[in-house]
Amino acid sequence: MTEKLVLAYSGGLDTSVAVRWLAVERGYQVIALTVDVGIGRDSAALEERALAAGAVAFRWVDARDDFIRYFAFPALAAGALYQGRYPLATALARPLIAKLMVDVAREEGAQAVSHGCTGKGNDQVRFDVSVQALAPDLRIVAPLREWDLRTREAEIEYAQKHNIPVPVTKESSYSVDENLWGRAIESGPLEDPWVEPPEEAFAWTRPVARTPEEPCYVEIGFQRGLPVSLDGADLDGVSLVQRLNELAGEHGIGRIDHLEDRLVGIKSREGYEAPAAVTLLAAHQALEQMTLSKSQLRLKASIAQEYAELIYNGLWFTGHHQDLASYIQSTQRHVTGTVRMRLHKGQATAVGTKSPRSLYAIALATYEKGDQYDQSAAEGFIHIWGLPVRVQAQAQLLAQPGDALRIAAPEQAAEE
Ligand code: ARG
């Protein structure tokens, strides 16, 4: 009996060629599974293309709500940015797609799963590690790691030879992945890090030169760290993110040009568009600045980095993740309030913040009437704060000859 295999199918060049290759070269009954995480594609067209390429069945899962609820918003609450730049859209979707591949494989009684990732990227790691965690018995077949169609041209020729409908010409040189949290653009002209990303690479954001002259203001409401409203109107997560992608994209917000370190050791030039993610991250950070203490902010910033690495590195289904997520969730219990964002000329800037749980006390901060801060108490505080400084200065700093200005250049001082 021929074995069944579930292929994560995007309808792009790689997975369209993979359908036929898996069916003909490997003899599987291929079930093409498309997971809609906000991919902006039409299911009927994809179904037709998958079946034409040789799939025995096509499955479509609308996972947009799960993606926002269980992946994108937790990453937002964490403040996760890989290498301080990338909001992790692609990386966040992979474990969800892997989970759904496993679910569909169980429903269909499949023995194997497959994806269209190359052997040089991060996505193969995220898919494989997630599938291995959830379903160690399933075989993983990665055609791009095995076949000898080494270039896009070779794939296109294979497609043409076997009458596989693919949406590309030899000219379309970018590799694009998109979901609600962002759009990733790779290859083609971007491979030269000296070349400015061409305008044609972008689809969600306007170039700053063509954005409105007038700023746009939007008020984002948060409940316990989760965005729940725009301009006072309650919105579900998917609609809120879609709306912000349009609004902030109009103003050229969220274009990112990044020379990124892949998990597999390669430095890679990546372009991103993430208007909603960038705007929400800035708004959320402003609200945390108002509702978290200094020490909470400090530890949380390092947890955010750890969390971003974990997502990037494909370690979603781990105990380490559960532990970090518990901490992050706990930090969000008072992150409730509203942030007014100004969207203008490529920048999303928090210009107003309010919260029923604010730690900002005007009576302490003001230089006007009504000041409740006791300035005379500052003297005693400084006396104790500076105590070890005075002791050390007397015992060591002033006991040595030389200029106190040189404290930061010791080896220079030692040469003389
Ligand atoms: N470098 C990003 C990541 O590893 C994006 C990868 C996008 N994939 C693509 N086919 N363009 O998460």
Side-chain angles (χ1 to χ4, degrees):
M1 206 184 86
T2 37
E3 289 193 322
K4 289 184 178 173
L5 169 147
V6 175
L7 167 69
Y9 181 71
S10 71
L13 175 64
D14 293 332
T15 52
S16 294
V17 171
V19 169
R20 175 168 169 113
W21 188 88
L22 289 161
V24 173
E25 313 287 335
R26 290 297 152 100
Y28 285 109
Q29 290 185 22
V30 178
I31 296 143
L33 164 68
T34 300
V35 177
D36 185 7
V37 280
I39 54 176
R41 300 228 172 102
D42 171 42
S43 88
L46 283 193
E47 170 159 23
E48 199 179 312
R49 196 181 297 160
L51 297 180
V56 298
F58 175 78
R59 298 274 305 258
W60 170 276
V61 179
D62 181 354
R64 291 174 302 166
D65 189 65
D66 281 348
F67 177 59
I68 290 298
R69 190 188 300 268
Y70 298 116
F71 294 83
F73 280 3
L76 168 65
L81 279 177
Y82 180 64
Q83 297 194 316
R85 307 288 309 284
Y86 165 40
L88 292 157
T90 296
L92 283 163
R94 296 324 189 192
L96 172 56
I97 296 170
K99 160 78 167 67
L100 293 168
M101 282 161 80
V102 168
D103 289 351
V104 170
R106 297 305 189 213
E107 286 166 28
E108 301 276 351
Q111 291 76 29
V113 294
S114 178
H115 54 69
C117 304
T118 85
K120 296 178 72 172
N122 300 312
D123 287 328
Q124 54 167 348
V125 182
R126 299 167 183 149
F127 275 129
D128 290 11
V129 169
S130 298
V131 169
Q132 287 164 0
L134 299 174
D137 56 299
L138 287 179
R139 191 178 318 124
I140 301 169
V141 188
L144 278 81
R145 290 197 296 243
E146 299 184 23
W147 67 31
D148 38 42
L149 303 170
R150 285 281 156 238
T151 62
R152 287 177 77 76
E153 279 67 37
E155 288 184 35
I156 291 165
E157 261 166 45
Y158 183 94
Q160 282 165 350
K161 195 165 115 207
H162 299 284
N163 278 323
I164 303 165
V166 287
V168 291
T169 60
K170 283 189 185 183
E171 281 69 50
S172 80
S173 45
Y174 299 98
S175 159
V176 173
D177 179 66
E178 67 183 51
N179 62 50
L180 286 162
W181 206 232
R183 181 169 180 272
I185 314 125
E186 281 177 350
S187 71
L190 295 179
E191 287 186 356
D192 181 349
W194 180 246
V195 169
E196 181 174 354
E199 198 47 45
E200 75 206 10
F202 300 106
W204 292 12
T205 54
R206 286 204 207 179
V208 168
R210 288 201 290 109
T211 58
E213 292 306 317
E214 291 303 312
C216 159
Y217 290 87
V218 61
E219 291 185 6
I220 305 174
F222 288 88
Q223 283 280 349
R224 294 169 185 260
L226 300 177
V228 292
S229 67
L230 288 185
D231 289 330
D234 287 349
L235 280 179
D236 66 277
V238 172
S239 310
L240 187 146
V241 169
Q242 278 170 339
R243 180 79 195 103
L244 267 186
N245 271 330
E246 286 164 22
L247 209 58
E250 279 278 288
H251 289 270
I253 290 155
R255 278 195 187 188
I256 298 158
D257 180 5
H258 189 210
L259 199 64
E260 177 172 301
D261 286 286
R262 287 190 190 162
L263 176 56
V264 294
I266 300 170
K267 278 196 191 287
S268 160
R269 175 78 167 302
E270 307 275 333
Y272 297 109
E273 296 179 282
V278 164
T279 303
L280 287 168
L281 284 159
H284 180 262
Q285 189 183 35
L287 189 57
E288 284 193 331
Q289 202 65 36
M290 176 172 266
T291 53
L292 298 185
S293 70
K294 181 176 167 179
S295 17
Q296 287 174 308
L297 288 168
R298 191 180 56 232
L299 179 62
K300 189 165 179 288
S302 65
I303 297 290
Q305 278 189 31
E306 182 73 15
Y307 198 66
E309 292 281 334
L310 173 147
I311 294 166
Y312 192 85
N313 294 340
L315 302 175
W316 188 265
F317 296 107
T318 57
H320 187 41
H321 182 186
Q322 288 178 329
D323 296 340
L324 295 180
S326 299
Y327 169 79
I328 292 159
Q329 207 180 14
S330 172
T331 62
Q332 299 301 294
R333 62 202 186 278
H334 302 303
V335 185
T336 293
T338 305
V339 183
R340 189 166 65 252
M341 298 298 294
R342 188 187 61 217
L343 312 178
H344 194 223
K345 294 288 169 199
Q347 298 293 326
T349 313
V351 292
T353 317
K354 64 180 178 185
S355 167
R357 302 294 174 84
S358 176
L359 301 176
Y360 175 85
I362 185 91
L364 296 177
T366 186
Y367 286 100
E368 313 281 324
K369 233 172 54 224
D371 184 7
Q372 286 173 14
Y373 179 87
D374 179 0
Q375 296 202 33
S376 68
E379 194 180 332
F381 166 74
I382 294 163
H383 184 73
I384 301 298
W385 175 252
L387 178 68
V389 179
R390 294 197 302 277
V391 169
Q392 188 167 40
Q394 288 299 322
Q396 298 171 354
L397 193 67
L398 300 178
Q400 266 173 353
D403 187 347
L405 275 182
R406 300 218 166 164
I407 196 162
E411 65 294 315
Q412 217 176 315
E415 270 169 30
E416 287 165 27

